[in-house]
Amino acid sequence: MNIQLNYKKYFTFICIVYLVVFFVSCRQAEEISSPVDGKIKVKSIFNIKNNELAQKIIHLSYDWKFKKANKAIIKLRENKDDQLLADLLDVGNCFWRYIGAMTPEHNKFAKEEYSRSVKKVKISTAAALKANSNDLKALFLLGFTEGSQAKFYAIEAEWFKAYRYGVKGYGRLLKIQRINKHDYDSQFGIGIYKYYCATFLPKWFQKISWMVPGIDVDRKGGYDRIVIASQFASVIKVEAQLSLGQSDAHYERKYLRSKILLEKLYDEYPHNKVVQYSLAATCFYYGDHLRYFGKLKESNKEFKESLSIGSDKPGFRMVLRKKNYLMPSMKWTMVAHSDIEILFSTYLEMSRNYFYMNNIKKATDCLEDGADEDHMPKMLQAALYFEIARQRRILGLEDYKKYIDKASKLAGPHSDISRHCRAFLSSKYRLPHLEKIMHQINQGIFLTKIGLKEVVEYYSKYKSTHYRYQFYKILSHLYQIDDQPNKSEKYDDLYRVHRQAER
């Protein structure tokens, strides 16, 4: 009996040692193959430097001229040596067409075309990999296609399929990296996977992600690959540049660099709604950031640029459904396309700039202009009128009631906003003392009368209230300005967790 127990102990110990060695060896291999170590050497799998037709197809696809791109792909297939390249460009073109398909008819057609293209890839790569399991072109084409399938199923809210295809595609790209670490198209795929694991997934899940097959949390390694791919990738260089611009604005807080990069892409691909939205969003983030320097006029300039770039109607397949706060005591569900949400948010924040500058007329005019946008949904129009009422009540202006009434009628009698409006007009309602305090804090920051030290003191006093989430965003910006990136990251994460919890 004792001998059997000892055997089990030794066997368990050996298994643990084996797993530790396995994970360490994997990590060492990852470090050795990192593309940012040493001198840059480029060895592309699909080298299109001298292939003018392939370059033309890529340009047409990114500029959302799908029919012209498809005709050019058919012509590219005439060359027997370019069959896998043609398949690769066809998958990309079909996926972008799906992203841009907004009507039911266009959506059905785009799905069918994408499905057809994916099936064709599976057949062609199966034959190529059967002949040579290390065929890099076939491996990349299959990995790229599976990565696009992961995005497709994520958009369709089929999460398990999205995870399964994402892991499959990532595995193909890792195999390519072991054979050729100087191909930056595949390095981009690896990088974006690592980076999204480190930014999209909740922090608590990241800590236990080692237990989930295929999850690879590596923000720095991922970001480094995106950066280098944006310079040296061959086929998906534009994709890498777009992802870099989005990452810099959304997560790295390098707003100006993001804006410069996305402006170049927008000039080159003016019909691409994703590029258009990304630039509009970046201008919004940059404008929001400038306020914390006390640069309210420059901030409004960026907000206005965001409005001029932003579409006035839905332009691509990205719908946001989340709860947004107009004030801490008011939660309401918003369903809108992402570009409409950027328009709404821009009008909202630009009006607050005027509000903090003590120009209530311009603040009200700005919100009314937003509500008058042709494609602004009624629920968002109602929210903008509610904000007018909120601002005017803070200042003690009695005419706030007519804006409350308008918001209630637009939202409808059974909506969350209408319920809040009724409460707002109730004789029992009292404007929270903290609502005025938060206004004074924000105004003091944006007029450079209050700094980081004072905000920290206010936060210590009020962090147990429902207003603490407002401090997360403020502190993140102020710590960034004060060159304390770790603390800025901490409060940015807290703000994101709060926002995600309300979705």
Side-chain angles (χ1 to χ4, degrees):
M1 184 68 174
N2 289 336
I3 294 172
Q4 190 177 6
L5 282 173
N6 288 337
Y7 169 75
K8 287 183 177 179
K9 287 179 183 178
Y10 283 123
F11 180 76
T12 303
F13 176 76
I14 290 168
C15 287
I16 292 171
V17 170
Y18 173 79
L19 288 172
V20 170
V21 170
F22 174 77
F23 282 116
V24 170
S25 64
C26 287
R27 184 60 61 190
Q28 287 175 341
E30 182 66 29
E31 290 171 358
I32 291 168
S33 60
S34 174
V36 293
D37 293 339
K39 188 177 179 181
I40 299 301
K41 179 183 177 183
V42 180
K43 191 179 178 183
S44 299
I45 295 172
F46 288 99
N47 192 343
I48 62 165
K49 190 175 181 180
N50 298 316
N51 193 329
E52 292 182 7
L53 184 56
Q55 291 182 35
K56 179 183 177 182
I57 293 166
I58 290 169
H59 181 84
L60 290 170
S61 290
Y62 281 120
D63 204 27
W64 286 21
K65 296 175 181 176
F66 306 119
K67 289 183 180 179
K68 289 183 178 181
N70 192 50
K71 289 179 180 179
I73 289 169
I74 293 170
K75 189 175 180 181
L76 183 66
R77 292 191 188 281
E78 295 173 3
N79 188 339
K80 291 182 179 180
D81 295 333
D82 287 334
Q83 296 305 305
L84 291 179
L85 176 60
D87 285 344
L88 175 65
L89 298 179
D90 188 44
V91 169
N93 189 51
C94 288
F95 184 75
W96 276 113
R97 175 178 275 173
Y98 164 72
I99 292 295
M102 298 307 300
T103 67
E105 297 80 13
H106 288 162
N107 180 33
K108 183 182 177 184
F109 175 77
K111 280 186 177 182
E112 289 172 352
E113 287 293 290
Y114 177 70
S115 178
R116 172 197 59 76
S117 182
V118 168
K119 286 178 182 177
K120 195 170 188 176
V121 164
K122 298 293 174 74
I123 293 169
S124 62
T125 54
L129 291 172
K130 187 176 181 181
N132 176 10
S133 62
N134 289 331
D135 186 323
L136 294 183
K137 286 187 177 181
L139 279 171
F140 179 77
L141 172 56
L142 187 54
F144 174 85
T145 301
E146 288 167 339
S148 75
Q149 284 183 282
K151 295 177 190 175
F152 174 85
Y153 285 117
I155 293 168
E156 294 292 321
E158 296 187 48
W159 305 113
F160 180 74
K161 285 185 178 179
Y163 161 73
R164 185 158 60 90
Y165 281 109
V167 171
K168 276 187 175 183
Y170 183 56
R172 315 267 186 207
L173 299 180
L174 286 178
K175 185 174 182 180
I176 293 172
Q177 180 184 248
R178 289 192 289 270
I179 301 170
N180 174 13
K181 66 179 180 181
H182 301 297
D183 173 70
Y184 295 108
D185 289 295
S186 54
Q187 288 288 2
F188 167 68
I190 293 169
I192 202 70
Y193 187 87
K194 288 174 176 286
Y195 189 77
Y196 282 171
C197 282
T199 51
F200 281 9
L201 297 176
K203 292 290 183 183
W204 66 265
F205 183 79
Q206 291 182 33
K207 291 177 181 178
I208 63 168
S209 62
W210 60 274
M211 295 190 293
V212 184
I215 300 298
D216 189 354
V217 178
D218 181 6
R219 179 166 172 170
K220 184 181 183 303
Y223 184 77
D224 287 344
R225 284 167 170 78
I226 296 170
V227 170
I228 206 166
S230 72
Q231 302 171 52
F232 298 106
S234 179
V235 180
I236 51 178
K237 183 177 181 178
V238 175
E239 192 99 9
Q241 290 173 342
L242 176 57
S243 294
L244 179 60
Q246 292 171 334
S247 300
D248 279 347
H250 288 264
Y251 296 102
E252 303 303 315
R253 298 183 296 284
K254 298 175 181 176
Y255 308 110
L256 184 56
R257 191 171 90 167
S258 171
K259 183 186 173 186
I260 292 168
L261 178 57
L262 291 172
E263 279 177 340
K264 287 179 68 177
L265 288 178
Y266 182 55
D267 289 342
E268 196 166 356
Y269 307 107
H271 300 101
N272 189 314
K273 290 288 186 179
V274 178
V275 173
Q276 183 183 32
Y277 162 76
S278 299
L279 178 55
T282 294
C283 289
F284 170 79
Y285 292 135
Y286 188 41
D288 182 53
H289 181 62
L290 283 173
R291 295 192 295 179
Y292 292 85
F293 290 92
K295 298 180 179 179
L296 295 184
K297 290 183 179 178
E298 290 89 338
S299 173
N300 272 355
K301 183 181 176 183
E302 292 299 324
F303 285 145
K304 287 175 182 176
E305 187 172 348
S306 177
L307 292 176
S308 69
I309 296 164
S311 174
D312 60 353
K313 58 183 177 181
F316 71 105
R317 187 178 304 283
M318 186 174 175
V319 178
L320 300 182
R321 182 183 180 88
K322 62 184 179 182
K323 290 180 179 176
N324 198 0
Y325 288 80
L326 293 183
M327 53 189 298
S329 60
M330 176 178 171
K331 299 178 184 178
W332 57 287
T333 302
M334 178 171 67
V335 181
H337 284 89
S338 52
D339 40 1
I340 292 295
E341 195 243 0
I342 282 292
L343 284 176
F344 164 77
S345 299
T346 304
Y347 278 112
L348 187 68
E349 296 305 326
M350 189 160 63
S351 79
R352 288 175 178 173
N353 275 4
Y354 289 123
F355 184 44
Y356 299 135
M357 288 190 280
N358 294 315
N359 194 332
I360 189 63
K361 183 181 184 305
K362 279 195 174 182
T364 300
D365 290 345
C366 182
L367 291 165
E368 287 183 322
D369 287 345
D372 287 341
E373 284 278 356
D374 291 339
H375 298 277
M376 189 73 73
K378 281 190 176 181
M379 194 62 70
L380 300 187
Q381 291 177 338
L384 292 171
Y385 278 111
F386 188 94
E387 175 67 9
I388 294 175
R390 188 186 75 89
Q391 290 180 6
R392 299 182 83 85
R393 178 150 187 173
I394 287 173
L395 297 180
L397 301 175
E398 278 298 313
D399 65 350
Y400 77 88
K401 293 178 182 178
K402 71 176 183 181
Y403 296 104
I404 283 289
D405 185 54
K406 193 159 188 175
S408 182
K409 287 178 180 177
L410 280 167
H414 305 297
S415 66
D416 287 339
I417 290 180
S418 184
R419 179 169 55 82
H420 286 296
C421 287
R422 289 194 294 272
F424 212 60
L425 290 174
S426 169
S427 59
K428 297 179 181 179
Y429 180 85
R430 294 291 180 270
L431 190 70
H433 172 67
L434 271 175
E435 189 72 10
K436 289 188 176 182
I437 294 292
M438 288 307 301
H439 168 57
Q440 291 169 10
I441 291 170
N442 280 309
Q443 188 175 53
I445 292 167
F446 302 143
L447 297 179
T448 65
K449 294 178 179 179
I450 293 177
L452 177 59
K453 182 182 177 182
E454 291 83 1
V455 173
V456 170
E457 290 173 357
Y458 275 114
Y459 174 61
S460 298
K461 186 176 181 180
Y462 297 118
K463 66 181 178 182
S464 61
T465 69
H466 291 298
Y467 289 75
R468 65 183 178 279
Y469 85 91
Q470 294 189 12
F471 282 105
Y472 297 155
K473 182 180 176 183
I474 294 170
L475 287 169
S476 176
H477 279 294
L478 292 179
Y479 276 122
Q480 185 186 356
I481 292 168
D482 200 50
D483 198 24
Q484 297 190 55
N486 290 336
K487 286 190 176 180
S488 177
E489 182 87 9
K490 171 189 171 183
Y491 286 103
D492 191 45
D493 285 343
L494 284 170
Y495 182 69
R496 290 182 187 283
V497 166
H498 164 81
R499 297 286 287 186
Q500 288 173 352
E502 294 300 329
R503 289 188 180 184

